[in-house]
Amino acid sequence: MAYCSYLNLYLAFYLSCIAPLSLAQTAKSSVPFKAVNLGDWLVTEGWMNPSLFDGITNKDLLDGTQVQFMSTNLQEYLSAENGGGTDVVANRASAFGWETFRLWRVNDSSFNFRVFNKQFVGLGGQGTQVRADSNAPGDSETFQIIRNDGDPNRVRIKATNGLFLQAKSETLVTIDYEGLGWEDSNPSNFKMTIVKTLKGEYQITNGYGPNRAPQVMRDHWNTYITDEDFGFMSSNGLNAVRIPVGWWIAQDPTPPKPFVGGSLQALDNAFTWAKKYGMKVIVDLHAVEGSQNGNEHSGTRDGYQEWGASNIQDTVVVIDFLAKRYANNPSLAAIKLMNEPLAPGVTLDTLKKYYQASYDAVRKHTPSAYVILSNRLGPADPKELLSFARNLNRVVIDVHYYNLFSNKFNNMDVQQNIDYIYNQRASDVKDVTTSNGPLSFVGEWTAEFAKGGASMQDYKRFANAQIDVYEGATFGWAYWAYKCAANHWSLKWMIENNYIKL
Ligand SMILES: *[C@@H]1O[C@H](CO)[C@@H](O)[C@H](O)[C@H]1NC(C)=O
């Protein structure tokens, strides 16, 4: 409080002449932060805001959708024999990995089918027999899915040569059927089952396509988070935002397709609003090229985790870009180098090499911004980065705590969830909070829990227990998320409805 005593502040309040500037000067915005994640803003997560996908044709057939096809004639599933590399057959009574095809969307109705071993289904260059041995999809790996008007999961699959795929026999699947018809005995008829969908940034931008996606995304960026939201956050006790961004932001305004430009302007706006309301910004590289975890929020096309050593250099370029742009912005608190790398696909060795190179990139531009290292998800020791991080300056270990996504939480009642926070989570936080090492940050948590359906009082107790314990983290915490269609995941909703008071 540089200018005024409490008395002056109250006077100023009653004279209603607190300009945003003086708020900025009086707000406490240093560690430990009370922060919130601006999830689903610059990196789409469809479950948080499903209606954003409503304008897409065939919106259930987006990139990465996993489908299975049962021949209605043979009552057997199509299968990429051996998981790929050879013939496609139609002789499986039930469907697992080899019988599952991941869609790459070419346009509203045409697709490539990626098999278990990552090859694509096609003609294999000659003859009519269907194979799964192409490493890059072209015209002969592109198929139109034609849906039955009355039953959208009854389909025929048409090749670019105008002929249909048919299951001639259990071991002979060909592209040479010319007829029409929707009878069960028609060898070109299949029952399609959708077993998994992805709804991330790749899916929404490629789903709308190059003509519509730019407008849809810009409208979303301009309305989902605004100046007023930063006002709401700061007046309700939050002093920082963690903003997930995707790797394509570094190539704004012309990122590689299907991503569209404009998210950089939105991030710039966030810095402007943060300054106005005396808040800090944590920039979080949430989606890296190749995908570090296969989740939709990693920007993946089809759910394969492919980020590795060969991607390090390109990803450091993204960090360098962000650090350079915001290094001298007083609202920059930290840059998080990568969200939720997943073990064992991302090895500790590769991750450390990347973290070191990205740390150096940030330090080229700023000595003071914190650098945040995400722990690995999956089978990984939560302390595995501590000794590495001890050699770096102003670094933070980011951990995410959800009483979800694991069977052990499925039957826990509210009190058991709360006990888990005071026992297990408290000890987890202690494990990554050391006296002369990196700071600790609970970068994601939420008041929802696996069983759900509890009373308002119970949700309040569960949220407060977490705030109690996560306040022990020396860099602070960040709620997931600010806005979400599922109410308990929305801190805005939780504050407005008196579930959470900071
Ligand atoms: C979709 O792609 C297929 C295959 O390239 C092409 O034949 C078809 O004309 C395209 N449809 C539209 C509507 O662009």
Side-chain angles (χ1 to χ4, degrees), residues 106-111 138-139 142-144 159-160:
V106 175
N107 58 34
D108 287 356
S109 59
S110 286
F111 305 86
D139 270 359
T142 300
F143 299 94
Q144 195 180 354
T160 48

Side-chain angles (χ1 to χ4, degrees), residues 48-204:
M48 297 175 68
N49 184 17
S51 63
L52 200 54
F53 287 73
D54 283 351
I56 300 177
T57 304
N58 278 327
K59 68 173 181 173
D60 56 344
L61 299 180
L62 299 171
D63 287 279
T65 297
Q66 297 184 16
V67 296
Q68 297 163 346
F69 298 105
M70 191 188 71
S71 159
T72 55
N73 182 39
L74 302 174
Q75 295 286 307
E76 308 267 3
Y77 286 93
L78 291 185
S79 176
E81 201 66 280
N82 297 331
T86 179
D87 295 345
V88 171
V89 294
N91 60 8
R92 300 304 205 286
S94 48
F96 303 98
W98 295 1
E99 293 75 40
T100 301
F101 302 86
R102 298 183 189 209
L103 301 183
W104 279 24
R105 188 169 160 126
V106 175
N107 58 34
D108 287 356
S109 59
S110 286
F111 305 86
N112 312 128
F113 301 121
R114 203 176 190 200
V115 300
F116 189 83
N117 292 337
K118 299 187 177 179
Q119 298 97 331
F120 295 88
V121 171
L123 279 177
Q126 53 186 333
T128 60
Q129 188 158 359
V130 178
R131 296 171 60 83
D133 62 359
S134 163
N135 290 315
D139 270 359
S140 57
E141 289 76 33
T142 300
F143 299 94
Q144 195 180 354
I145 296 180
I146 297 172
R147 308 180 93 163
N148 179 294
D149 283 340
D151 175 4
N153 292 323
R154 182 67 171 253
V155 302
R156 303 178 74 213
I157 300 167
K158 190 179 181 184
T160 48
N161 63 10
L163 302 176
F164 289 91
L165 185 147
Q166 64 166 327
K168 262 189 179 155
S169 74
E170 292 200 338
T171 52
L172 192 57
V173 178
T174 57
I175 295 172
D176 54 3
Y177 192 83
E178 298 186 50
L180 300 169
W182 290 107
E183 38 330 313
D184 279 354
S185 59
N186 186 315
S188 73
N189 272 228
F190 295 88
K191 185 175 166 297
M192 178 176 70
T193 309
I194 294 174
V195 292
K196 185 177 174 175
T197 59
L198 293 173
K199 286 179 149 191
E201 191 81 5
Y202 200 104
Q203 285 70 35
I204 194 163

Side-chain angles (χ1 to χ4, degrees), residues 8-24 26:
N8 284 342
L9 191 64
Y10 280 121
L11 272 176
F13 180 75
Y14 284 114
L15 298 170
S16 47
C17 61
I18 293 189
L21 187 63
S22 64
L23 267 182
T26 54

